[in-house]
Amino acid sequence: MAGSQRNNELARWVADQWKQQGLEDVTIHEYDVLHSKPREISLEMVAPVEYHATLREAPYAVDPDTKNPAASGAFLGYSASGEVTAPVIYAHSGNPEDYDYLRTQGISVRGKIVLVRYSNPYSYRGFKALTAEREGAAAILIYSDPQEDGYGQGKVFPEGPWGPETHIQRGAITYDFIQPGDPLTPGWASVPGAKRIPIANAVSLPKIMGVPLSWHDAQPLLKNMDGPQAPQSWQGGLPFQYHLGGDRVRAHLKVDMDTSTQPYYVTEARIRGAELPDEWIVLGNHRDAWVYGGVDPSSGTATMLEMTRDLGEMLKKGVRPRRTLVICSWDGEEYALTGSTEWGEEFADELKKKAIAYLNVDSSASGPNFHGTPVASLATVLVDVTRTLPAPSGKTLYQEWRDTRQQQLHETRPAQDSELADTRIGSGSDHTVFLNFLGIPTVGLEFDGPYGVYHSLYDDFYWMNHFGDPGYKYHALMTQLWGVLALRLANANVLPYDFETYAKNIRSFVDELDVKSRVHEHLDLQPLYAQVDQFETAGRDLNAAVVATLSASTNAPAGGENAATNRVNAELMQIERNWCNPDGIPGRPWFKHTLYAARFTYAHLELPGLTEAAEAGDWKLAASQEKILEAELAKNIAALQQASRELQNSSERGAH
Ligand SMILES: [Zn+2]
């Protein structure tokens, strides 16, 4: 876990590995962060019968790692501390509409303990905590119902990949959808000695107590509840009728959290670029886990260390990329995306000048299904790279990806190239500071599968060896994918951003918003659509100019085109930055990007300022947000046209 002695040792171990592999500029950055870990947590049902929750996960003989007494019990990062004895109410998934339903049944949760399940439908646990806090509940218990991540899905651990009776999904309940990173240094780095705000002013810290439960511990509470029967859609996988609860079930909860400041460590290494050392491709993976973190994040860390070993071998053979690779092992991702956020805030000015892309791998493999989440301008290069890589099935990764997407889209026809990448990017991992705060294009890479042991003790070697990636074939493939994508970007003559594709995506964002919120009945969307059309044309012209330049340069002596392409690249790097509004999106000033953000549930949210204003029916605010988008588009259209002109001029010179 972040803040633990072992995790801090691993920061140094990663640094040592990178030095041995031949990487350069190996550095460990320290950030002093408001941390959160349990001193004492207990839960007892006091009526109608007594039950002491175990708050622990059961060991299994076949997997000795499950017997480790050092494994943590049940807790949620950044839970408030306190003690309460109160009735327990079942509030389904803990989303706002669930409390609305309880109100129709005459049930208030004020001062009570709410029991909610994790994913039906899924929402980030921090959103459940904030919602319960706003409803005036005294505490929230979040449990894993077997219908969603247990026996309702298939065989459970250790016979299968799904969560067993006692598995506990730990996690943080930070409100990092408002403000990620150290809660006491919003917008600046928590380097030792940094200015800190008072805890009472920290918008990302919950004021409610929260504890996660296995269904083993939730069952006695649910089974004894009185009150109205839960509606059919609220019924879970346990073999009895669920009730909403009344006064019958009462519980005593005590949560005592240690919130002392602790050092977090980000380990960084570089491979300095041979020709353009001040242009960076940034790669990162987080190191902190909840227990072992077999999938999350250690599969990603193993992939990263294998990739850096390969890059080190290439360096030893004299193969150095044109641009610099900056590689980071983040800390505290699980708490508030903390290490990456603090590092991004510390080096913001330099990153805005130098960063071409950020490539994130959190978990690399929990199964065989590829999920690529690039900003739309990088979708084309990602698809291209997958064509070159052999997958374990003998097909290319591209073909496997098409098969996976076809199934996901429930289509009988093969998926189109334009449907492969998922360009709807929410939060929930270390790409957030790069995309949303700095305006750097990001790509997320992951192979996933039935991963029912997420954030539990059972996410370990046994699970990975038997269910996640037996033979580690997808780990190896991720090493190739991540490395080849990084080198494509690092060695490109003209940076492979595809703004024509970006424009098509932006148009579909506007279309979807208009269908959902009937924006055109309140605002004139034509100027916005006209700008998107022009941006698409400018992107298509640039793509054509790039092709012409690259084919001319293969026929012409090298040299002349370099100055022009370098200048053009510097301009193209700024396109993503231009989607950022220094004021941020309304109500969340840290989130600067106006095309991409996350909802409070972590779900993706496109055109956040315009969308949230439209959904709130605030058409005055929506109109001003539309104007911001139009101005950004105008700026980027001019930048693309300028880049095309420069490339055309240079290839004409080359032709003479
Ligand atoms: Zn993770």
Side-chain angles (χ1 to χ4, degrees):
M1 282 189 295
S4 73
Q5 191 191 337
R6 180 59 178 156
N7 191 44
N8 296 346
E9 284 166 14
L10 288 174
R12 288 187 289 276
W13 183 81
V14 169
D16 291 341
Q17 292 290 309
W18 282 345
K19 283 178 194 161
Q20 284 168 30
Q21 290 171 352
L23 270 62
E24 297 159 330
D25 305 329
V26 178
T27 315
I28 298 180
H29 302 272
E30 180 183 325
Y31 301 104
D32 290 350
V33 172
L34 178 84
H35 187 60
S36 167
K37 68 176 180 197
R39 260 191 298 254
E40 187 197 337
I41 294 183
S42 63
L43 171 70
E44 307 97 43
M45 177 163 62
V46 295
V49 286
E50 225 179 275
Y51 173 76
H52 286 252
T54 65
L55 305 178
R56 307 289 306 184
E57 291 158 310
Y60 292 96
V62 294
D63 180 5
D65 285 334
T66 60
K67 298 177 188 168
N68 189 338
S72 71
F75 78 101
L76 293 171
Y78 291 120
S79 164
S81 292
E83 190 167 2
V84 65
T85 302
V88 182
I89 301 294
Y90 173 51
H92 186 220
S93 216
N95 296 322
E97 59 274 21
D98 297 324
Y99 295 97
D100 291 342
Y101 178 77
L102 287 174
R103 262 186 286 280
T104 68
Q105 301 301 303
I107 297 173
S108 160
V109 301
R110 189 155 293 277
K112 297 176 186 166
I113 298 170
V114 293
L115 174 65
V116 307
R117 63 212 257 194
Y118 259 110
S119 20
N120 180 38
Y122 174 80
S123 58
Y124 165 55
R125 68 186 86 74
F127 176 65
K128 298 178 196 288
L130 177 63
T131 307
E133 182 182 307
R134 286 175 169 171
E135 293 286 342
I140 183 168
L141 306 171
I142 313 178
Y143 83 100
S144 302
D145 194 282
Q147 183 174 293
E148 289 103 44
D149 41 21
Y151 59 70
Q153 297 292 325
K155 282 189 178 169
V156 304
F157 188 89
E159 277 80 43
W162 293 99
E165 179 171 350
T166 62
H167 91 281
I168 297 163
Q169 186 192 131
R170 294 160 191 75
I173 51 172
T174 331
Y175 306 158
D176 54 3
F177 39 80
I178 302 173
Q179 168 73 62
D182 179 0
L184 303 187
T185 62
W188 64 91
S190 55
V191 293
K195 180 183 81 169
R196 266 150 239 282
I197 61 170
I199 287 189
N201 296 352
V203 293
S204 64
L205 286 179
K207 294 180 176 64
I208 188 170
M209 289 184 281
V211 174
L213 297 182
S214 64
W215 70 254
H216 176 84
D217 278 339
Q219 179 168 243
L221 299 167
L222 281 166
K223 210 171 177 173
N224 282 292
M225 279 184 188
D226 58 354
Q229 283 193 1
Q232 198 48 43
S233 61
W234 290 32
Q235 175 70 35
L238 296 170
F240 50 81
Q241 172 66 49
Y242 290 22
H243 287 79
L244 303 180
D247 286 328
R248 189 159 181 261
V249 171
R250 296 175 67 80
H252 169 241
L253 175 69
K254 184 175 179 197
V255 177
D256 180 13
M257 304 295 286
D258 173 352
T259 53
S260 56
T261 297
Q262 296 293 333
Y264 284 13
Y265 296 102
V266 169
T267 306
E268 179 194 326
R270 296 186 184 181
I271 293 175
R272 290 182 219 121
E275 295 169 38
L276 298 162
D278 286 333
E279 293 185 9
W280 296 354
I281 317 300
V282 186
L283 295 83
N285 154 264
H286 73 91
R287 188 181 63 251
D288 65 305
W290 284 111
V291 190
Y292 296 112
V295 171
D296 181 9
S298 302
S299 62
T301 310
T303 299
M304 180 169 69
L305 289 170
E306 177 61 6
M307 175 181 64
T308 53
R309 193 183 66 80
D310 295 343
L311 292 167
E313 291 300 311
M314 290 169 71
L315 259 189
K316 285 172 198 159
K317 291 181 179 139
V319 182
R320 183 181 283 280
R322 293 182 70 214
R323 299 184 176 85
T324 294
L325 303 179
V326 179
I327 303 141
C328 291
S329 167
W330 308 121
D331 201 351
E333 185 271 354
E334 294 292 0
Y335 274 85
L337 317 173
T338 308
S340 56
T341 300
E342 300 309 319
W343 188 87
E345 289 173 345
E346 182 174 6
F347 301 107
D349 292 341
E350 200 173 3
L351 285 162
K352 283 185 203 169
K353 278 194 211 94
K354 298 180 177 175
I356 283 161
Y358 171 67
L359 312 181
N360 190 57
V361 174
D362 185 319
S363 303
S364 73
S366 60
N369 304 318
F370 181 58
H371 188 210
T373 45
V375 160
S377 58
L378 291 173
T380 306
V381 67
L382 177 61
V383 171
D384 272 358
V385 168
T386 63
R387 289 177 209 274
T388 67
L389 298 176
S393 63
K395 299 177 181 177
T396 62
L397 173 56
Y398 169 73
Q399 287 164 322
E400 281 201 5
W401 195 8
R402 292 217 327 180
D403 296 345
T404 302
R405 285 299 282 162
Q406 184 177 342
Q407 282 175 15
Q408 287 169 346
L409 297 166
H410 306 290
E411 286 286 356
T412 47
R413 57 162 181 83
Q416 309 290 307
D417 285 359
S418 62
E419 296 169 324
L420 295 180
D422 178 2
T423 61
R424 313 296 161 112
I425 304 170
S427 184
S429 194
D430 291 306
H431 61 280
T432 305
V433 71
F434 295 95
L435 181 59
N436 301 104
F437 186 70
L438 299 169
I440 293 163
T442 59
V443 182
L445 305 170
E446 181 171 9
F447 289 100
D448 56 32
Y451 178 35
V453 298
Y454 168 68
H455 287 187
S456 80
L457 170 67
Y458 309 115
D459 181 5
D460 68 356
F461 267 123
Y462 189 94
W463 191 91
M464 185 60 81
N465 288 332
H466 288 83
F467 313 114
D469 188 17
Y472 293 79
K473 295 187 174 84
Y474 285 93
H475 282 68
L477 179 54
M478 181 62 87
T479 296
Q480 295 176 302
L481 172 62
W482 199 4
V484 171
L485 180 61
L487 290 174
R488 277 277 181 105
L489 292 163
N491 291 329
N493 191 332
V494 181
L495 294 172
Y497 298 127
D498 179 352
F499 297 109
E500 184 184 0
T501 294
Y502 211 155
K504 290 192 167 97
N505 275 261
I506 297 169
R507 185 180 299 109
S508 69
F509 297 167
V510 182
D511 287 344
E512 281 169 32
L513 167 61
D514 193 28
V515 168
K516 252 179 84 184
S517 296
R518 316 286 303 160
V519 179
H520 69 272
E521 291 173 7
H522 307 270
L523 294 182
D524 182 7
L525 283 173
Q526 284 320 306
L528 182 58
Y529 274 119
Q531 298 277 52
V532 174
D533 290 347
Q534 278 194 51
F535 184 59
E536 182 177 358
T537 304
R540 189 181 313 119
D541 291 349
L542 177 66
N543 285 348
V546 171
V547 170
T549 305
L550 295 182
S551 52
S553 69
T554 54
N555 303 324
E561 79 281 6
N562 268 350
T565 51
N566 290 350
R567 206 166 47 243
V568 165
N569 286 334
E571 288 160 10
L572 298 182
M573 275 166 69
Q574 294 306 315
I575 300 283
E576 196 73 34
R577 253 63 108 204
N578 291 340
W579 303 125
C580 287
N581 178 5
D583 296 335
I585 60 178
R588 292 190 278 168
W590 188 90
F591 286 83
K592 311 285 184 201
H593 207 290
T594 56
L595 302 182
Y596 285 110
R599 291 186 183 273
F600 282 26
T601 57
Y602 268 11
H604 61 86
L605 169 63
E606 289 75 46
L607 312 175
L610 180 56
T611 300
E612 289 187 328
E615 288 176 354
D618 184 344
W619 297 109
K620 200 171 155 227
L621 181 61
S624 69
Q625 293 294 312
E626 186 190 349
K627 286 280 167 277
I628 291 169
L629 291 169
E630 286 173 26
E632 290 168 352
L633 279 158
K635 197 170 176 185
N636 276 339
I637 291 161
L640 293 188
Q641 289 170 342
Q642 168 71 14
S644 293
R645 272 194 300 274
E646 288 187 38
L647 284 180
Q648 277 155 8
N649 292 341
S650 79
S651 50
E652 277 159 24
R653 275 199 304 276
H656 296 304

